[in-house]
Structure formats: structure tokens, C-alpha cells
């Protein structure tokens, strides 16, 4: 029987890029081909129905169910013209993935036959089984009923022969069981709060939109090599593996020429993504070998979240067509860069003003300062909660390693903006501001646009960096649902803006000029949120100590970080902004702790299996070969000569014996640690125990295995090594 590793490597060498059909049209001409977008709505819907539906999408008016049948009819006609036979409510449960149940466009016709049918009732609402999705105790196992409800603000799309309808997912008693429902509430909250503040400067603003541009990082691995690594298949990461002699230390992969096979995959992926309305724009090699990035044009946050979830699903399918497997785990390989999903976030108005972008007039500049500072206020007040929103068993491996931001939330602003805020903070009696009553006001400062757009530096160690006209939330993990971070960020900013407006209104009511009131409050907030501002090296030990002195959350234990969702100020914020209620937050935390435990549990079981069934047998087999060689040497040479000639092999034999014994003992202790943890009833305490006692034992076992990889002869080692996994052939 051959060595599976060498068979897998040989298979990888055979791979050639597939021919990818290039559409005759330009991307702009086939963009949204399989999306029921406005152009399709206008074509397939009656004009009055179209107008009502667009009003729902643009202005947030309540959907009139009386138009649902007409919309469903138009959707079905378009779908059937594209070969569609089924439909599904596509939603995002608390599993970090998506869910769908396909039903055919058929009903009995009452005469023994069948007819194609798709009613408004089926479009607007369905009842998927809610008992088998994580609910954190909100629903008992025997309470199965849940509802999915159409989200008209995210367009319907086609995958293969199925019409996919983006929906929210709630329980029979109304609690959110997904990410979309609270995200929509958070976006509504920030719209209301930001619109109120924007009207202090621009009275004609009617709506504020939260914008998101994600940057999806990922690894590609040859499918044959992936299949020879049980840890990659079952956990998404390598639980063992010694560094390759060459990895990313030459800095030659970043922005390098894209390998031919990868280029073919990217092209195929982009064509299919564009047809689904995902506005792909950027692709490039990332820092680590076999690591790449895809980024779209900015979109409305709700749509951007849906598109990212759809893209992750799509890229896995396209990768297999090209004999690749996509790795979205945040740290699939030790010692090199992990993968993030930087969330570039901003706010814009319906009048075209980017609220986090500087302007050309004094009024624009003051507005810019207000929205920057109030964003920082939200981040400062809830820095621990923001960290909890991006924390997971997988992302914890990435944070603070190889250019990923540390597990302390801070904000980088750049030299020019820092100097501006400091000048405002320390000014006295309005020495920066010349206020001219009803005639307006002037900020006596250098022009902000020229300072910020081109000259703002970037800080890779900052989790929340201002990059010219937006904030880049760099701590989000590559396989995460962006909604988790966006729910917290938009809610926190909504709360900060609400508080700001209320305090300004109180000053105005007391007789203070509006502009003076805005300046007074923004100056207070600059001083208040100053601890969140840090432009230095986030990796340094000095920063960790300084962050603690500033009162920032420095906890890095994943299960303990989740506790921030249940802090009283977090609960009050979510309830005040009408995003989630206390018991919904408690239930979600139960899900988070349970998910953390299961992921570590699976990794521990896989590691134990590989260690005892792959590593130890291979190592002892090699040890036996060496022992036989030693015996043969003594039969050929004199005892004195044999002592000298066999010294190296004896040393290796002893080292293998010591390391295999350490592995066997470690696996026994790992199993016992799991047994102890599994007896704990509390999801919270069980997750903490897994973090504190189970995970460290896995690291000790890995150290022994990685040392054996360097000792055991290459021809016996059955698992593909980093040098083979990390370089596409």
C-alpha cells in the first residue's frame, strides 16, 4: 500500500488550470444576470406594484401584503424563464452559515394533476423547523415552529434551479434566531440617530445608510492534499505541522503574480459572483503562501452581509471545480499570516454626503469631526463588546499574530486627524472657532480634505483604523458572518449619536447658539473617548499595560470575552436601541459558549485520533528500522566501532521513545480533561474549562508531533507537510 502523502502530492502535480468561459459581454452587461433587481422588477411587475415595492426598499415603509401575489407572480415568471423549478427561503441561523429548504413551484390542480404555482403567501412567509437550529434555550426541542420572513431590501437571486429569497428567521414567539433580524434593527437605529444629527448641518437629509465593504481573505489548497489531512477536513486547520523552510519570510507572495490555476479559479468565481450581483472589484495574492483576497465595491451593509455569505458559499463550490479546497479558517497554518475579513464601514446620506468624509466648507468640516468623534465614543464605551462581536474559537488563533490586530480594541486616526482633535480638545474660549451667529461659522484650521485623503498613514496593528473616509474594522475573522460585528458597531454608534443629539438639544433649549452647542459637546466627547485612541504598536507589551491603565478590555480568553454581551451597559444599549432584548442576548451567549466548546472538542478528538493512529505508529515503525540497523551494525563491526557508528541512531531512537511517550501521555490527559469538562452543566463554565484545560494540552501534544516530523524519515510520514500544502503547483 502506497504512502497517501506521496500519492496526494503526485496528484497535485498533475493539476492544470481549467478553461473558464469568458462571457461575450463586459462585466457591466452581465452584472446581476441572476438577480431580481430593479430592472427586472420594472419589467415583470405592474407599475403600481413596482412603485410600492421600491418605496419599501428605499424608504423603509411597511410592505403591503396585498401586492405580494403580484410580486410573486412576476418573480416566478422571471425565474422560470431562467430554468428555475424550486424556491427557498435563504436565511442565516446562528450556525455561522446559511440555511435553505427547497420547494418546487407545484401544487395539485384538483383534477389529479399538478400546476406551477408560487403565491404571495409563500414568498412573504414560511415555517421552517426551528427546533434543530441553535437557539440558546429560547426554544425547547419539542417546540419546532419558527418563521422565515422575506426581506425585500435584499434582492432575490437564482442559484442553479432554485429561486433564493433572503429572509429573517424568528421563533414562534418572535425572538430573532438569526443574524439578519437584529442587523436590520441596528441599521434602522443608526439611520434614525444619524439622520437626526446630520440634520443639524443639512436639514434636507431624509435617510442615512450604513455602508460596508468587506475584504475576504482565504487560502487555497490542492484538493488531493486536503483529502490526505484529516485535521483540515474536519476542523478547517492544521492541528500539527512544522514550519516550512520557506514560507512568507521573503515577502515575495504579497501582490505577486497570481498562479495560473488560481487565476482560472478567480476568473470563474468572479463571473459567477458578478452574475449574482456581487460587485467584485479587487483580487490579489496576500502575504502568506497560497493566501489570496477578494474585495467588492462598497454596498448597503445589509446587502453586503448577504453578498459575503453568498460568496463564501459560492467560492467553496467553484474551488472544487478547479481541484482546490478553500480554507476560510482564520489560522489554518501556524507561523504564517492568518486570514481576516476587514470590514470597511462608513455612513452616507440620501443626499450623497459621506458622513465620515471631510468636506470643503467649515460646516462640512465640523460635521466630519462630529461623526468621527461620536463613532469613537461608541467604540470606546463598548470596546469589550466590539471585541466579543469578532471573537471566536477560530479567530482567537489569529488575533495578535502576523499582522493581525491584537485582542484589544483601539482606534488609529493618523497624525493629521489626531492633531486636529487634540487642538480642539485643548483650545480655550473657542480659539479655533470664529462663530458668527446666524451668518454661520468658520473653523480656523487647515483644509481637512488635503490632510486626510492622501496623507493619512495606516496601522496594521490597529483593530479599528480610520483610513481617510471610513473606518476599517480589521479584527473581523475570515469565516465570520459580518453581521455580528455590524450589529454591535452600528448599535453602539446609534447610541452615541442619540446621546450627542440629546445633549446638544438641551444646550440649544437653554439658549446656547446651535454651533456653539455642537462645539461644546464634541469637545467634551473628544476628552471622554481619548483612551480608545492609539496610533502606536498594538503588539508591544507596553501597549497591553497602557491599555489596562486606560480601562480598555484586555481579556483574551474567548469564553470570557463573550461575557461582555451580558454587561449591564451592553444590555441597556441593545434594549434602548430596540435591537435585542436581555433574554435574547443571554440565549445567544449560550449558543456562543456551546459553539466554542464543540469546536475545541472536535479539534481535541481529531488530534487524539491522528496522534495515536498516524503519528505514533509511523514514529515507532521508523524507530524499529533504526533499532534493526543498530543491531546489524554490532553484528558487522567490533563493539567499540559499533558504539561510535550507532551513536546518532541510538540518540534518535531514544528521542522517538521519549516523544511518543509524551504524546501518549498527553492524549490520555487530553481525554480525561474533556471528560471532566463535559460533566459541567453550565455552558459558560464548560466553555471556560475547555479554554483553560483542554486547549493547552493540545498545544503540548502538537509540539511533540512537530518535533517528530523533523526526525522521522520523509518516506514514512503520511501527512502532507507545510512545504507541500503551501505552494500551489
Amino acid at each position: 500500500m502506497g504512502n497517501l502523502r506521496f500519492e496526494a502530492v503526485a496528484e497535485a502535480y498533475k493539476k492544470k488550470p481549467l478553461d473558464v468561459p469568458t462571457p461575450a459581454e463586459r462585466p457591466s452587461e452581465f452584472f446581476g444576470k441572476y438577480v431580481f433587481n430593479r430592472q427586472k422588477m420594472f419589467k415583470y411587475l405592474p407599475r403600481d406594484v413596482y412603485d410600492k415595492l421600491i418605496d419599501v426598499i428605499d424608504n423603509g415603509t411597511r410592505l403591503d401584503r396585498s401586492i405580494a401575489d403580484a410580486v410573486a407572480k412576476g418573480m416566478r415568471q422571471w425565474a422560470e424563464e431562467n430554468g428555475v423549478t424550486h424556491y427557498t427561503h435563504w436565511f442565516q441561523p446562528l450556525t455561522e452559515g446559511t440555511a435553505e429548504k427547497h420547494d418546487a413551484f407545484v401544487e395539485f390542480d384538483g383534477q389529479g394533476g399538478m400546476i406551477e404555482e408560487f403565491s404571495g403567501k409563500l414568498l412573504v412567509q414560511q415555517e421552517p423547523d426551528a427546533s434543530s437550529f441553535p437557539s440558546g434555550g429560547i426554544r425547547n426541542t419539542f417546540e419546532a415552529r419558527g418563521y422565515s420572513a422575506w426581506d425585500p431590501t435584499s434582492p432575490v437571486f437564482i442559484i442553479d434551479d432554485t429561486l433564493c429569497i433572503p429572509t429573517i428567521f424568528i421563533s414562534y414567539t418572535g425572538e430573532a434566531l438569526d443574524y439578519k433580524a437584529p442587523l436590520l434593527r441596528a441599521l434602522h437605529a443608526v439611520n434614525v440617530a444619524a439622520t437626526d444629527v446630520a440634520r443639524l448641518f443639512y436639514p434636507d437629509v431624509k435617510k442615512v445608510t450604513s455602508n460596508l465593504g468587506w475584504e475576504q481573505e482565504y487560502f487555497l489548497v490542492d484538493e488531493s492534499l486536503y483529502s490526505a489531512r484529516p485535521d483540515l477536513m474536519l476542523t478547517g486547520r492544521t492541528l500539527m505541522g512544522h514550519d516550512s523552510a520557506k514560507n512568507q519570510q521573503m515577502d515575495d507572495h504579497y501582490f505577486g503574480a497570481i498562479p495560473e490555476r488560481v487565476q482560472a479559479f478567480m476568473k470563474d468565481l468572479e463571473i459567477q459572483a458578478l452574475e449574482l450581483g456581487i460587485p467584485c472589484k479587487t483580487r490579489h495574492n496576500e502575504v502568506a503562501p497560497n493566501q489570496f483576497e477578494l474585495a467588492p465595491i462598497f454596498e448597503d451593509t445589509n446587502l453586503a452581509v448577504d453578498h459575503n455569505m453568498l460568496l463564501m458559499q459560492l467560492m467553496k463550490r467553484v474551488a472544487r471545480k478547479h481541484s482546490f479546497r478553500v480554507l476560510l479558517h482564520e489560522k489554518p497554518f501556524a507561523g504564517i499570516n492568518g486570514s481576516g475579513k476587514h470590514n470597511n464601514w462608513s455612513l452616507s446620506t440620501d443626499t450623497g454626503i459621506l458622513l465620515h468624509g471631510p468636506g470643503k466648507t467649515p460646516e462640512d468640516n465640523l460635521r466630519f469631526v462630529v461623526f468621527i468623534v461620536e463613532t469613537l465614543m461608541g467604540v470606546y464605551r463598548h470596546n469589550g463588546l466590539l471585541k466579543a462581536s469578532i471573537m471566536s474559537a477560530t479567530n482567537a488563533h489569529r488575533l495578535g499574530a502576523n499582522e493581525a490586530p491584537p485582542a484589544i480594541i483601539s482606534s488609529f486616526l493618523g497624525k493629521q486627524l489626531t492633531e486636529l482633535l487634540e487642538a480642539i480638545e485643548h483650545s480655550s474660549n473657542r480659539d479655533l472657532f470664529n462663530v458668527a451667529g446666524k451668518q454661520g461659522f468658520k473653523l480656523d484650521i487647515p483644509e481637512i480634505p488635503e490632510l486626510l485623503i492622501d496623507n493619512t498613514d495606516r496601522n496594521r496593528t490597529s483593530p479599528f483604523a480610520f483610513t481617510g473616509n471610513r473606518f476599517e474594522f480589521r479584527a473581523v475573522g475570515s469565516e465570520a458572518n459580518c453581521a455580528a460585528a455590524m450589529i454591535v458597531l452600528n448599535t453602539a454608534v446609534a447610541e452615541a449619536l442619540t446621546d450627542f443629539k440629546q445633549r446638544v438639544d438641551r444646550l440649544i433649549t437653554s439658549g446656547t447658539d446651535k454651533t456653539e452647542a455642537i462645539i461644546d459637546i464634541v469637545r467634551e466627547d473628544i476628552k471622554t473617548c481619548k483612551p480608545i485612541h492609539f496610533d502606536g504598536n498594538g503588539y508591544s507589551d507596553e501597549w497591553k499595560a497602557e491599555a489596562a491603565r486606560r480601562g480598555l478590555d484586555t481579556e483574551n480568553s474567548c469564553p470570557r470575552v463573550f461575557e461582555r454581551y451580558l454587561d449591564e451597559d451592553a444590555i441597556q444599549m441593545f434594549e434602548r436601541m430596540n435591537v435585542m432584548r436581555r433574554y435574547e442576548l443571554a440565549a445567544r451567549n449560550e449558543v456562543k459558549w456551546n459553539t466554542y466548546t464543540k469546536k475545541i472538542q472536535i479539534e481535541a478528538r481529531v488530534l487524539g485520533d491522528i496522534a495515536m493512529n498516524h503519528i505514533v505508529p509511523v514514529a515507532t515503525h521508523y524507530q524499529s528500522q533504526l533499532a534493526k540497523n543498530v543491531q546489524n551494525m554490532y553484528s558487522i563491526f567490533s563493539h567499540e566501532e559499533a558504539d561510535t557508528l550507532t551513536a546518532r541512531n541510538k540518540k534518535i531512537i531514544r528521542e522517538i521513545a521519549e516523544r511518543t511517550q509524551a504524546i501518549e501521555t498527553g492524549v490520555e490527559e487530553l481525554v480525561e480533561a474533556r471528560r471532566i469538562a463535559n460533566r459541567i452543566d453550565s455552558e459558560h463554565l464548560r466553555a471556560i474549562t475547555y479554554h483553560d484545560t483542554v486547549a493547552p494540552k493540545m498545544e503540548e501534544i502538537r509540539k511533540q508531533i512537530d518535533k517528530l516530523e523533523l526526525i522521522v524519515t520523509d518516506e514514512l510520514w503520511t501527512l502532507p507537510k507545510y512545504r507541500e500544502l503551501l505552494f500551489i503547483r
Side-chain angles (χ1 to χ4, degrees):
M1 183 175 178
N3 185 311
L4 292 177
R5 167 167 156 258
F6 286 114
E7 292 173 3
V9 172
E11 185 66 25
Y13 270 108
K14 298 177 185 177
K15 300 295 188 295
K16 294 181 180 179
L18 298 177
D19 292 330
V20 179
T22 303
E25 311 97 329
R26 288 178 288 184
S28 60
E29 295 173 322
F30 64 83
F31 177 72
K33 178 180 179 180
Y34 296 118
V35 180
F36 196 66
N37 52 26
R38 293 178 188 238
Q39 291 79 8
K40 312 272 189 353
M41 292 177 192
F42 189 81
K43 178 179 178 180
Y44 288 92
L45 301 181
R47 182 56 187 268
D48 62 326
V49 173
Y50 170 83
D51 289 341
K52 289 180 179 179
L53 185 56
I54 293 301
D55 189 37
V56 172
I57 296 170
D58 287 347
N59 302 316
T61 56
R62 185 172 295 278
L63 177 68
D64 183 353
R65 292 190 66 140
S66 65
I67 69 170
D69 282 332
V71 174
K73 181 180 178 181
M75 279 185 185
R76 196 195 83 192
Q77 180 184 349
W78 167 70
E80 289 180 338
E81 289 175 6
N82 284 276
V84 169
T85 58
H86 289 67
Y87 65 94
T88 183
H89 275 201
W90 185 81
F91 56 96
Q92 300 166 30
L94 302 179
T95 58
E96 301 296 332
T98 59
E100 52 196 66
K101 175 178 69 73
H102 298 198
D103 289 303
F105 285 142
V106 293
E107 296 290 345
F108 283 119
D109 63 359
Q111 301 176 11
M114 303 192 82
I115 59 172
E116 285 72 31
E117 184 173 290
F118 180 55
S119 66
K121 179 181 178 181
L122 297 176
L123 166 64
V124 172
Q125 179 178 316
Q126 294 227 323
E127 294 185 20
D129 185 341
S131 65
S132 297
F133 290 104
S135 69
I138 284 180
R139 302 292 289 155
N140 292 312
T141 303
F142 62 86
E143 295 174 318
R145 179 163 288 168
Y147 296 110
S148 55
W150 175 37
D151 171 18
T153 63
S154 184
V156 169
F157 56 91
I158 294 172
I159 296 286
D160 294 329
D161 65 351
T162 304
L163 182 71
C164 300
I165 305 162
T167 63
I168 64 170
F169 180 43
I170 61 174
S171 73
Y172 175 69
T173 47
E175 297 87 2
L177 297 177
D178 69 344
Y179 285 101
K180 181 182 276 282
L183 175 65
L184 291 175
R185 295 183 194 132
L187 297 179
H188 175 72
V190 80
N191 169 28
V192 172
T195 299
D196 282 348
V197 174
R199 284 174 178 163
L200 291 172
F201 305 95
Y202 319 113
D204 57 338
V205 170
K206 296 179 181 178
K207 180 181 179 181
V208 170
T209 301
S210 168
N211 306 307
L212 172 62
W214 39 262
E215 302 170 27
Q216 181 67 60
E217 295 176 346
Y218 60 95
F219 281 85
L220 288 177
V221 175
D222 276 294
E223 189 166 31
S224 52
L225 299 176
Y226 173 89
S227 298
R229 289 287 307 222
D231 49 354
L232 274 180
M233 292 176 65
L234 296 175
T235 72
R237 75 178 181 110
T238 54
L239 299 176
M240 62 207 68
H242 198 279
D243 289 350
S244 170
K246 180 185 185 298
N247 47 49
Q248 67 185 45
Q249 68 266 47
M250 297 301 295
D251 299 320
D252 56 347
H253 191 260
Y254 191 48
F255 282 14
I258 299 172
E260 188 178 2
R261 284 180 59 207
V262 177
Q263 183 90 351
F265 157 75
M266 288 180 168
K267 189 173 184 179
D268 198 358
L269 174 63
E270 287 178 5
I271 290 171
Q272 295 189 45
L274 288 166
E275 288 177 338
L276 288 168
I278 305 172
C280 300
K281 182 174 179 65
T282 301
R283 66 186 183 203
H284 62 81
N285 286 7
E286 258 299 337
V287 174
N290 281 18
Q291 188 186 32
F292 307 95
E293 180 180 295
L294 182 152
I297 300 171
F298 277 59
E299 299 181 280
D300 167 85
T301 294
N302 179 43
L303 184 56
V305 168
D306 283 0
H307 278 166
N308 183 248
M309 296 302 291
L310 178 57
L311 179 88
M312 290 192 290
Q313 178 183 337
L314 181 64
M315 67 197 312
K316 292 177 183 178
R317 186 172 65 170
V318 175
R320 297 193 69 171
K321 175 182 172 184
H322 292 261
S323 298
F324 287 127
R325 286 300 184 107
V326 168
L327 303 182
L328 293 173
H329 192 290
E330 283 80 3
K331 198 74 170 180
F333 303 102
I336 61 175
N337 272 30
S339 295
K341 180 153 48 194
H342 305 167
N343 278 207
N344 296 279
W345 171 86
S346 190
L347 298 171
S348 60
T349 72
D350 59 313
T351 58
I353 298 167
L354 186 64
L355 296 178
H356 286 113
K360 297 181 179 180
T361 68
E363 186 175 53
D364 283 341
N365 289 336
L366 182 56
R367 177 268 307 158
F368 165 69
V369 170
V370 166
F371 276 91
I372 290 292
V373 171
E374 295 314 311
T375 297
L376 294 177
M377 282 291 289
V379 174
Y380 169 61
R381 286 174 177 167
H382 300 287
N383 67 93
L385 180 61
L386 273 172
K387 179 165 61 178
S389 75
I390 55 86
M391 186 60 84
S392 67
T394 53
N395 202 25
H397 290 286
R398 163 183 167 260
L399 296 177
N402 299 97
E403 295 191 352
I408 302 172
I409 300 297
S410 64
S411 184
F412 168 84
L413 300 178
K415 181 181 178 181
Q416 289 78 16
L417 185 52
T418 296
E419 290 177 349
L420 169 63
L421 296 187
E422 287 180 349
I424 296 173
E425 175 192 355
H426 297 297
S427 63
S428 59
N429 300 323
R430 323 212 181 290
D431 56 351
L432 278 180
F433 306 97
N434 292 320
V435 181
K438 293 182 180 180
Q439 297 180 5
F441 59 92
K442 176 181 179 182
L443 271 71
D444 187 16
I445 58 176
E447 284 294 316
I448 293 177
E450 296 176 6
L451 290 172
L452 293 174
I453 290 178
D454 296 323
N455 298 325
T456 297
D457 202 350
R458 306 180 79 177
N459 186 328
R460 287 191 169 275
T461 69
S462 176
F464 196 78
F466 182 71
T467 56
N469 59 7
R470 63 190 183 276
F471 283 95
E472 184 178 17
F473 196 5
R474 295 176 51 83
V476 182
S478 57
E479 69 176 354
N481 187 324
C482 298
M486 290 296 101
I487 289 167
V488 174
L489 178 58
N490 283 284
T491 306
V493 173
E495 180 191 53
L497 289 169
T498 299
D499 289 344
F500 173 84
K501 180 63 163 52
Q502 289 174 348
R503 287 179 291 151
V504 168
D505 286 348
R506 283 196 293 268
L507 286 181
I508 294 173
T509 301
S510 67
T512 305
D513 173 78
K514 182 181 78 171
T515 301
E516 292 184 9
I518 293 171
I519 293 170
D520 285 345
I521 300 302
V522 83
R523 180 176 285 127
E524 289 178 10
D525 288 351
I526 289 173
K527 296 175 182 178
T528 300
C529 69
K530 195 169 184 179
I532 203 68
H533 173 205
F534 177 67
D535 285 358
N537 179 9
Y539 286 164
S540 68
D541 291 335
E542 291 79 8
W543 166 236
K544 294 176 185 176
E546 172 63 22
R549 283 194 293 270
R550 294 186 184 190
L552 302 182
D553 192 305
T554 59
E555 179 63 66
N556 58 16
S557 163
C558 184
R560 293 181 175 89
V561 169
F562 289 151
E563 296 169 8
R564 301 288 72 77
Y565 274 98
L566 301 180
D567 288 346
E568 195 58 35
D569 60 345
I571 293 171
Q572 290 180 7
M573 176 192 75
F574 282 121
E575 291 190 332
R576 178 186 176 195
M577 296 294 106
N578 195 33
V579 173
M580 282 185 283
R581 288 162 286 187
R582 182 184 296 268
Y583 65 93
E584 286 180 294
L585 292 166
R588 283 170 184 259
N589 259 28
E590 290 290 300
V591 173
K592 289 178 181 293
W593 285 318
N594 181 261
T595 300
Y596 177 86
T597 295
K598 288 179 178 177
K599 287 190 175 183
I600 303 302
Q601 185 181 68
I602 291 170
E603 288 188 351
R605 294 175 68 181
V606 171
L607 178 62
D609 173 53
I610 295 176
M612 299 308 296
N613 293 298
H614 286 257
I615 306 303
V616 171
V618 167
T620 53
H621 180 54
Y622 181 53
Q623 185 185 46
S624 298
Q625 289 182 346
L626 294 178
K628 186 174 181 180
N629 174 267
V630 170
Q631 289 175 340
N632 290 339
M633 296 290 277
Y634 276 99
S635 68
I636 298 172
F637 299 100
S638 67
H639 192 86
E640 184 176 302
E641 286 179 299
D643 281 345
T644 301
L645 295 172
T646 60
R648 176 180 178 276
N649 282 357
K650 287 178 181 177
K651 181 180 178 182
I652 295 174
I653 290 170
R654 179 178 294 277
E655 184 172 354
I656 290 176
E658 292 171 349
R659 294 196 183 281
T660 54
Q661 179 59 50
I663 291 171
E664 290 172 351
T665 301
V667 171
E668 291 173 0
E669 293 176 351
L670 183 63
V671 171
E672 182 59 25
R674 289 203 333 262
R675 285 175 180 158
I676 293 172
N678 290 340
R679 295 190 194 108
I680 300 173
D681 291 331
S682 165
E683 294 283 7
H684 182 198
L685 296 179
R686 190 187 311 132
I688 290 174
T689 304
Y690 260 86
H691 176 275
D692 293 349
T693 65
V694 177
K697 293 186 185 300
M698 294 171 59
E699 289 303 311
E700 289 301 316
I701 295 171
R702 176 176 186 149
K703 289 177 184 177
Q704 301 297 333
I705 294 175
D706 289 356
K707 290 294 183 181
L708 283 177
E709 183 182 316
L710 295 179
I711 298 171
V712 175
T713 180
D714 194 59
E715 65 182 359
L716 290 180
W717 199 261
T718 60
L719 301 176
K721 298 182 177 182
Y722 273 24
R723 68 168 185 249
E724 295 150 355
L725 290 166
L726 286 172
F727 298 93
I728 290 173
R729 295 157 182 85

